[in-house]
Amino acid sequence: MKTKFNINNLVRKNVADLKPYSSARDEFKQGDSNMVFMDANENPFETGVNRYPDPQQRELKEQLGEIKGIPAENILLGNGSDEVLDLIFRAFCEPGKDNITTLPPTYGMYQVLAEINNIENREVLLTDDFQPNVAEIFNKVDDNTKLIFLCSPNNPTGNLFSEEKILEILNNFNGLVVIDEAYIDFSESESWINKLEKFPNLIVTQTLSKAYGMAAIRLGICYASAEIIQILNKIKPPYNVNELTQKRALERVIDIISVKKEIADILTERNKLFKALLEVDFIEKIYNSDANFILIKVDNAKLRYDQLLKKGIVIRNRTTQPLCENTLRLTVGTAEENQKLMEAFQSLK
Ligand SMILES: *Cc1c(COP(=O)(O)O)cnc(C)c1O
């Protein structure tokens, strides 16, 4: 039974009671005209990075918010999605007591974070067509299930989850639904961030690591109600997004036209690669992709993985994942890289 949503019933008591650390840069930001900063024990000589960064990353959030059509108060930034996801665990899941639900085969970090935080993970396998098994999810969840993780488009399968199934979960689950949209920019589907107002129990995560081409700077994004963002803000390390990351991310987000062009090129290449893979004998199945990678089923994943490695091409063997026996995951590269991959595949016996 769905009860009336109240975030205060989900947040851990120690987090609710916490008085956050107040940093020197919370109140005053460098760059404000004519101010002298003697509050944070920094070295005053200019290196470009001698001052602490903006703990709230205001400029970057404004710019991101403009592109995504989301107010800054609904955004939290972290040191990669990994930090964002960890903050969500720590805000809502009581170690040794609460549990979460994940839908394998999926992104491995949810399980790792559950273990780190001592939270039970109630796994519910995807159906054979890699969609959420909604009936089974509701069989497994209980009053201590705080989070359900939906990865859409899903890694490693590459597909989007059906809107209908996600709605069923959002409408009937009493905890928080986290939709990991690391690959959403490659899909034709609309992001769930546009449904935040309708669903107070929805958290959406995105990242600059994939479509935005900035894996090395570590920038993860969380979109949620202002109430949820405030809770996560309380427990994040004060300066969790460094100055260099904020600068590079801002430059990239402002140059959204280049990002979109690269995404379009990657999608063209993905579709070319998909067609070329159809011609390889030992590839038994090529799964449809809404992301920048393609999952394939082959005759012998270990053999094909090792053969490609010998030719200097590194792909991901997913054969140990449930429902993924003898599968390999291929990231779409440049036209030249994909050509090399195809030549290697064609040369294999
Ligand atoms: C790659 C990936 C991420 C990105 O994580 P970052 O820490 O932001 O680099 C998140 N979720 C999924 C499903 C991914 O595949």
Side-chain angles (χ1 to χ4, degrees), residues 14-27 39-42 52-56 230-240:
N14 64 311
V15 171
D17 294 346
L18 177 82
K19 189 176 177 300
Y21 176 76
S22 165
S23 69
R25 286 292 166 269
D26 271 329
E27 286 168 50
D39 56 346
N41 303 343
E42 296 146 332
Y52 279 102
D54 176 6
Q56 290 305 324
Q230 275 164 25
I231 291 166
L232 298 176
N233 257 325
K234 272 174 75 167
I235 64 170
K236 80 172 185 67
Y239 303 111
N240 63 328

Side-chain angles (χ1 to χ4, degrees), residues 80-81 181-182 185 205-212 218-221:
S81 307
E181 291 189 334
D185 299 290
T205 63
Q206 295 181 355
T207 177
L208 294 203
S209 295
K210 307 287 158 60
Y212 283 74
R218 312 305 301 133
L219 192 91
I221 312 163

Side-chain angles (χ1 to χ4, degrees), residues 80-82 107 110 151 155 180 182-183 207 209-210 218:
S81 307
D82 295 341
Y107 186 46
Y110 315 135
C151 186
N155 178 5
D180 183 339
Y183 300 98
T207 177
S209 295
K210 307 287 158 60
R218 312 305 301 133

Side-chain angles (χ1 to χ4, degrees), residues 6 31 147 159-160 223 234 266 277 324 329-330 348:
N6 181 350
L147 310 169
N159 63 298
L160 280 161
Y223 301 94
K234 272 174 75 167
I266 290 168
L277 290 166
C324 291
R329 195 190 66 198
L330 318 169
L348 296 186

